[in-house]
Amino acid sequence: MIYALAACFGALLLFFVQPLLGKAMAPRFGGGVHVWMVCLLYFQAMLLVGYGYAHLLVRHVKPRLQPLVHSGLLALTALQLLLPWALGGSLPLLASAGTDLRPLAILGFLLKGSGLALLALGSTAPLIQAWFARANPGRSPYRLYAASNIGSMAGLFLFPFAAEPLFRTSTLLKGFGFAFLGFAVVLILIGRKGAAADASGTAENQEPSAPAAPVGWGRIALWLLASCSGVMLLMTGTQAVTLELAALPLLWVIPLALYLATFILVFDSRWPLERWLRPGWALLLAAACLVLGRSFAERFAPWPMIAAFNGMVFFGCLGIHGYLHALRPDPAHLTRYYFYMALGGMIGGLVVGLVAPVLYPRPYEMGVALALAGFLGFLWIRSHQSRFQALWALLAVATLVVGVRDILRVVRRPGLFMRDYFGVIRVIQNPGYRMMHHGSIVHGTMDLKEPLRPTTYFGADSGGGRAVRMLMEARPSLMVGVVGMGVGSFGGWGRASDHYTFYEISPLVIRLAGPGPAPVFPILQQSPAQVEVVLGDARTELERELREQGPRGFDLLVVDAFSGDAVPWHLLTVESVQMYLRHLAPNGILALHVSNRLPVHRVALQTCTALNLSGALVRDVRGRDENIYATSYYVLVAKDPDAFFQHPLVTSCSGIAFGPELLPDPKQPLPLLRSGRPWRDDHAPLSDLLIEKR
């Protein structure tokens, strides 16, 4: 039991600290996808290093010395996590990150702050199983891997739904340090127990076991292929759910939890999956879920599709991991087995996250992952005699065919596809207009007859349109900043005397809609205004400009970054809004575009009321020409409230006014907004977006 609890607790800490580190880094390095990709690559690499460390420790260090060596690593890690705080300094992950945002700089910052911790936690599962196998010869240690995955699932849900809403990031980092200290004590006691057993001669008194059968390179290749295809299926299913179907944060938790559940079911010997659940059945269900989701995509709500893709991940990974479990070696080769599993998982993550976006403009990975799952299922079925072996083999081959069919479906899908590390962009040409899609999100529409006409969320009656019209009436020239380029629709408001600065994180979007040569969306190229484009995360670039050049003096700053699938929370905190206000001119207006199916506008209003700002939540419901215009919500913040509230463009709009002088009646809904908590860099629970309030 003590071995199982230690494996469970170590995995819980590992899966708890991973999102915690990413959350702590976002305000310093930005919330761009490239940062999350570097973090994901770092976590996979450290898991591989941890498994490699465990393998070398078990194979090349005497059993009595292994606990001593690992105790030294645990003690050093605990000192690194807690000593700076105990001496009155800052925690390693809360130190200043500097201004270098290159991937190597991010990796260096992560290694400095958490490298030892992830190395110690990543080596826990194989190391505990190896110690258990030595102390209990004849008993299978692989059930402990199921206990480890139970801890991983617990940590996966504990952070976003319990710890993050209740505690600040700095508090959670300190708590993690103390929890790691307790874990280190338990692991040291387990190691001492094993060392004492060796010293008493227990191991020598036991009958020598037969030498383990050697492991060939063909079997190792299958370990790599199975673990690689499982991770590919997980990542492609997660991308399909979060980017194509529903704009819900933390929705990636569900497929990852199902992925971990398959390890629990397969490696726990109480579930005889090899006897009563052939991989052909699981793979068939996965293929059926995929076909169902794609066939009815245009006619049904996203929830059946979400269930379909999650079913694909679960049943597909159940078959893949069942084969991986069937290929498990003798416990003497246990650490080697887990090392190659981690290596295959890292290869799968690299293929989906880094290689495919560079090589392929269209998303072929899901079909490839499903075809690999069918191939592995066929190999497993062929190697196990059963009553209906021919039927199971036929179903596995059918799954492979479905994967190939999905690849062909992607090839034949109409539209111009382009891709980078920030996602797949699809350009659709329709009669009269051209659209840019990022997953299921429309990022802009251009009227082909009048390219400079502001469309979608930037029409004349939208919050952004009303703000720029108000300022154009009063001033002959404007300084306008826009966070998020899209197709450049907002640049259609520009005059020859105006200067527009766009902050965009994706080089591909800049190539498609920027003012450069031959863009697909030539709005900014044809705009009479002077157009400047800044590449990078908007918050880090605005903070850099504030340090190096001082305030930009924007008459209008539009933050158009919250309509997509993943809400960039670091652009909506109290600290970020304060920084926006410093960039505004004395009579400037801040426009937060908060159109989203999630209650992003509530968080924005809570931030504004916490800072005693004045303004209005403006709603624009377009009843005509839905292909060109869309319903929009803006939170407008005015530095000159008197002129703002008296202007006809504000008094005639549909919205809610807020401000310190507007003392609301208790019967009105505004006090509820004041009762909420604003997001801060140190405490921004994304679970707030999952809770609808009356």
Side-chain angles (χ1 to χ4, degrees):
M1 180 60 69
I2 189 67
Y3 287 95
L5 290 177
C8 182
F9 190 40
L12 185 150
L13 291 179
L14 181 63
F15 271 73
F16 181 86
V17 76
Q18 289 183 5
L20 177 60
L21 295 182
K23 193 70 180 292
M25 288 179 57
R28 291 158 179 80
F29 287 102
V33 179
H34 68 292
V35 176
W36 293 102
M37 291 302 303
V38 172
C39 288
L40 180 61
L41 176 62
Y42 166 72
F43 296 142
Q44 291 177 326
M46 290 307 300
L47 184 64
L48 177 64
V49 172
Y51 281 16
Y53 159 77
H55 176 65
L56 294 176
L57 186 66
V58 171
R59 290 291 301 271
H60 300 289
V61 178
K62 294 181 179 180
R64 297 179 184 178
L65 296 179
Q66 291 173 17
L68 182 63
V69 174
H70 197 60
S71 297
L73 174 64
L74 295 172
L76 187 62
T77 304
L79 285 175
Q80 184 203 31
L81 292 174
L82 294 175
L83 188 60
W85 170 74
L87 297 177
S90 62
L91 295 171
L93 261 297
L94 294 180
S96 175
T99 58
D100 192 350
L101 303 182
R102 291 175 297 178
L104 288 179
I106 300 173
L107 284 174
F109 183 74
L110 284 168
L111 280 171
K112 180 181 177 182
S114 64
L116 288 177
L118 289 187
L119 173 62
L121 292 173
S123 62
T124 299
L127 201 56
I128 285 182
Q129 292 179 66
W131 289 352
F132 176 85
R134 192 176 75 243
N136 302 272
R139 296 181 62 185
S140 174
Y142 288 103
R143 283 189 65 185
L144 293 176
Y145 193 62
S148 174
N149 281 280
I150 292 175
S152 301
M153 188 179 296
L156 184 66
F157 285 98
L158 178 64
F159 176 78
F161 298 113
E164 186 191 31
L166 297 177
F167 302 102
R168 296 178 178 272
T169 303
S170 56
T171 304
L172 292 176
L173 286 170
K174 296 173 187 175
F176 170 77
F178 286 107
F180 183 88
L181 183 62
F183 165 75
V185 172
V186 173
L187 208 58
I188 289 172
L189 292 177
I190 291 177
R192 289 186 61 185
K193 179 182 177 181
D198 289 335
S200 64
T202 303
E204 285 81 357
N205 294 333
Q206 295 167 348
E207 296 182 3
S209 57
V215 178
W217 285 107
R219 197 174 190 183
I220 292 176
L222 290 176
W223 292 348
L224 290 172
L225 185 61
S227 54
C228 173
S229 61
V231 171
M232 288 182 63
L233 200 59
L234 166 67
M235 294 185 67
T236 55
T238 304
Q239 288 177 353
V241 169
T242 57
L243 296 181
E244 297 182 16
L245 303 182
L248 292 177
L250 304 179
L251 204 56
W252 53 268
V253 169
I254 298 175
L256 182 54
L258 294 174
Y259 173 84
L260 295 174
T262 61
F263 277 116
I264 297 171
L265 293 174
V266 166
F267 279 83
D268 192 335
S269 59
R270 292 173 298 182
W271 299 87
L273 294 177
E274 291 188 31
R275 292 197 298 268
W276 61 268
L277 183 59
R278 291 294 172 183
W281 180 28
L283 295 173
L284 174 66
L285 292 177
C289 289
L290 179 65
V291 173
L292 176 67
R294 294 300 177 92
S295 299
F296 295 93
E298 302 297 331
R299 290 189 286 171
F300 286 95
W303 294 109
M305 296 178 62
I306 292 175
F309 282 109
N310 283 319
M312 179 198 71
V313 171
F314 177 74
F315 290 110
C317 289
L318 193 63
I320 292 170
H321 296 156
Y323 186 40
L324 195 59
H325 180 261
L327 293 171
R328 67 193 185 282
D330 185 274
H333 300 291
L334 181 144
T335 54
R336 188 183 184 188
Y337 172 62
Y338 286 122
F339 172 77
Y340 282 108
M341 280 179 58
L343 179 60
M346 184 176 177
I347 293 173
L350 288 173
V351 168
V352 176
L354 295 180
V355 177
V358 173
L359 297 182
Y360 308 111
R362 294 173 181 257
Y364 301 119
E365 304 92 276
M366 180 174 293
V368 173
L370 197 61
L372 283 176
F375 174 70
L376 291 171
F378 176 78
L379 292 181
W380 186 16
I381 293 165
R382 192 182 64 171
S383 62
H384 285 71
Q385 296 294 328
S386 64
R387 185 177 180 183
F388 301 104
Q389 186 176 20
L391 176 61
W392 302 134
L394 181 62
L395 295 178
V397 172
T399 304
L400 189 152
V401 172
V402 170
V404 175
R405 177 182 177 275
D406 187 72
I407 296 175
L408 297 177
R409 181 196 63 83
V410 174
V411 171
R412 292 193 291 260
R413 196 175 181 186
L416 171 65
F417 283 81
M418 301 184 74
R419 190 175 187 183
D420 60 8
Y421 293 120
F422 302 96
V424 179
I425 293 178
R426 181 187 178 198
V427 179
I428 302 175
Q429 180 83 16
N430 289 306
Y433 62 95
R434 185 178 296 157
M435 304 177 68
M436 177 192 291
H437 283 255
H438 186 274
S440 62
I441 306 299
V442 177
H443 272 230
T445 304
M446 185 183 73
D447 187 343
L448 296 179
K449 295 180 180 179
E450 301 178 60
L452 294 182
R453 184 174 75 162
T455 60
T456 54
Y457 309 107
F458 311 110
D461 292 330
S462 67
R466 290 175 185 268
V468 73
R469 288 164 59 198
M470 187 187 317
L471 294 170
M472 289 169 65
E473 291 177 4
R475 306 176 192 182
S477 62
L478 294 178
M479 286 283 294
V480 178
V482 183
V483 174
M485 178 182 292
V487 300
S489 290
F490 206 83
W493 288 107
R495 302 170 298 186
S497 58
D498 297 335
H499 186 281
Y500 278 64
T501 303
F502 287 85
Y503 298 87
E504 175 57 48
I505 196 171
S506 172
L508 180 57
V509 172
I510 294 177
R511 191 170 67 184
L512 288 173
V520 177
F521 298 91
I523 298 174
L524 296 184
Q525 185 188 57
Q526 299 177 12
S527 174
Q530 303 175 52
V531 176
E532 175 187 359
V533 177
V534 178
L535 174 64
D537 180 81
R539 176 164 175 177
T540 57
E541 292 299 323
L542 286 168
E543 288 176 343
R544 178 187 58 80
E545 292 175 351
L546 204 56
R547 288 191 308 267
E548 299 177 357
Q549 308 169 13
R552 293 291 299 263
F554 291 124
D555 298 295
L556 174 64
L557 178 57
V558 181
V559 184
D560 175 34
F562 308 117
S563 60
D565 49 277
V567 177
W569 64 271
H570 70 298
L571 298 180
L572 204 55
T573 61
V574 169
E575 292 82 357
S576 62
V577 172
Q578 289 175 329
M579 184 263 297
Y580 300 150
L581 296 175
R582 292 183 63 186
H583 273 292
L584 286 181
N587 296 324
I589 296 176
L590 171 64
L592 302 175
H593 178 212
V594 292
S595 302
N596 202 303
R597 287 179 285 182
L598 302 171
V600 178
H601 63 284
R602 299 181 187 275
V603 178
L605 286 170
Q606 289 162 4
T607 301
C608 293
T609 53
L611 293 173
N612 291 322
L613 302 176
S614 298
L617 169 65
V618 178
R619 181 183 65 170
D620 173 32
V621 181
R622 305 296 304 194
R624 60 182 180 83
D625 204 356
E626 293 295 333
N627 293 325
I628 298 294
Y629 295 104
T631 300
S632 66
Y633 288 82
Y634 277 83
V635 173
L636 302 181
V637 177
K639 277 198 166 184
D640 185 3
D642 295 335
F644 178 81
F645 286 124
Q646 294 174 6
H647 200 282
L649 287 174
V650 175
T651 58
S652 63
C653 71
S654 172
I656 301 175
F658 61 86
E661 291 81 13
L662 302 175
L663 298 178
D665 185 85
K667 297 180 181 180
Q668 295 179 353
L670 193 56
L672 177 63
L673 302 176
R674 289 187 179 275
S675 66
R677 53 186 173 185
W679 282 358
R680 298 182 181 273
D681 286 351
D682 199 28
H683 191 210
L686 297 181
S687 56
D688 285 354
L689 297 178
L690 300 180
I691 302 174
E692 284 288 350
K693 301 175 183 177
R694 293 187 63 84

